[in-house]
């Protein structure tokens, strides 16, 4: 984190990664993919059990 002093005021300058306080990575994409896949699987099982003709 870089600190710049101008007169009496202090301004903190952060990179976008530091401002988010997290490292960008594939974990969010993996979580969304797995949760969507599980939702489709559960709905498929429910449809098969209850609404099969």
């Amino acid at each position: 984190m870089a600190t710049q002093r101008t007169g009496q005021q202090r301004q903190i300058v952060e990179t976008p990664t530091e401002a988010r306080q997290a490292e960008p990575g594939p974990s969010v994409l993996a979580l969304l993919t797995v949760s969507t896949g599980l939702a489709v699987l559960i709905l498929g099982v429910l449809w098969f059990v209850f609404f099969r003709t």
Side-chain angles (χ1 to χ4, degrees):
M1 170 175 23
T3 304
Q4 296 178 347
R5 273 193 174 213
T6 55
Q8 296 292 335
Q9 298 177 350
R10 286 178 37 183
Q11 181 179 6
I12 297 174
V13 180
E14 294 181 331
T15 65
T17 302
E18 290 173 335
R20 285 192 299 268
Q21 298 182 1
E23 292 293 326
S27 60
V28 174
L29 178 61
L31 176 67
L32 289 174
T33 303
V34 169
S35 61
T36 302
L38 283 174
V40 169
L41 180 67
I42 290 170
L43 289 173
V45 168
L46 288 174
W47 176 82
F48 187 76
V49 169
F50 291 109
F51 301 109
R52 188 178 57 172
T53 55

